[in-house]
Amino acid sequence: MKNYYQDFLIRHWEESDRTSAANIISSVLVEYGLGWEPNGADRDVLQVEECYLAVGGEFWVVEYQNQLVGTAAYYPINRGEKAVEIRKMYLLPKVRGFGLGKHLLQQLEAAIVSRGFQEIWIETASVLVEAVQLYENNGYEEASGVETARCDRVYVKKVYG
C-alpha cells in the first residue's frame, strides 16, 4: 500500500513507526478524554506484527511532510460473515477537515472488499463525534454487542466485491 491523497502519503506500517503510531493514538484518545490502554484495548498498536500482520490484517500510517499524522488498520474477526474490524483510525488535529478520514475509510473498504471480506465492523465512542458522523454518513449501521470497554457504539456495513 502506497497511496497519495493531496499531500498525504498513506503506506504500510513499518517497525520504525511503532512509537510514533502509538503516540498519535494516545494523544487523540487523551484529546477526547479517553484513556490510553497499552495493556488492553491499545495493545494491538504495540504488537502490530502479531495482532494485524500475522492474522491477515493490515496496519497503515499516514505521513505528512515526513511526519506520521495518522493511522488506520483492520483485521479479520469472528463476528458475522467473512468479517473484519476497522481499528485504530486516528488523525492528529492539524490534518483533520481535509477529507482525509473519508479517503482513508474508502481505501480501507476497497482493500477489505478486494480480499473477499463481506462485513466491516467498527467500534467507537460517542465522544468521537467526527468519527461517528463519518461512519453514519458512509453507510455504517448501528448494531449491538460492543466489546471494547471505552466504546459505546458499534457499527456494521455489508460490502461485496
Side-chain angles (χ1 to χ4, degrees), residues 18 47 66 71 128:
R18 190 179 324 273
Q47 299 175 357
N66 297 315
T71 61
L128 298 168

Tab-separated table of all heavy atoms in Angstrom, residues 18 47 66 71 128:
chain	number	residue	atom	x	y	z
A	18	ARG	N	6.395	2.213	15.115
A	18	ARG	CA	5.682	1.756	16.316
A	18	ARG	C	5.448	2.885	17.332
A	18	ARG	O	4.338	3.126	17.768
A	18	ARG	CB	6.420	0.597	16.971
A	18	ARG	CG	5.630	-0.085	18.061
A	18	ARG	CD	6.357	-1.269	18.718
A	18	ARG	NE	7.170	-2.058	17.821
A	18	ARG	CZ	6.721	-3.097	17.093
A	18	ARG	NH1	5.472	-3.472	17.178
A	18	ARG	NH2	7.542	-3.753	16.291
A	47	GLN	N	1.850	-4.188	19.173
A	47	GLN	CA	2.154	-5.529	18.673
A	47	GLN	C	1.512	-5.743	17.296
A	47	GLN	O	0.790	-6.704	17.067
A	47	GLN	CB	1.650	-6.575	19.675
A	47	GLN	CG	2.319	-6.449	21.027
A	47	GLN	CD	1.742	-7.397	22.062
A	47	GLN	OE1	0.791	-8.125	21.809
A	47	GLN	NE2	2.321	-7.393	23.234
A	66	ASN	N	6.981	14.140	5.971
A	66	ASN	CA	7.866	13.162	6.617
A	66	ASN	C	7.579	12.921	8.096
A	66	ASN	O	8.429	12.411	8.820
A	66	ASN	CB	9.343	13.555	6.430
A	66	ASN	CG	9.731	13.537	4.970
A	66	ASN	OD1	9.387	12.603	4.244
A	66	ASN	ND2	10.405	14.577	4.521
A	71	THR	N	-3.222	7.026	11.548
A	71	THR	CA	-3.150	5.571	11.460
A	71	THR	C	-4.506	5.027	11.010
A	71	THR	O	-5.539	5.686	11.183
A	71	THR	CB	-2.807	4.940	12.830
A	71	THR	OG1	-3.838	5.264	13.770
A	71	THR	CG2	-1.466	5.420	13.350
A	128	LEU	N	-16.280	10.676	20.163
A	128	LEU	CA	-15.550	10.839	18.901
A	128	LEU	C	-16.555	11.234	17.813
A	128	LEU	O	-16.837	10.493	16.876
A	128	LEU	CB	-14.802	9.548	18.546
A	128	LEU	CG	-13.742	9.121	19.563
A	128	LEU	CD1	-13.263	7.704	19.287
A	128	LEU	CD2	-12.574	10.092	19.570
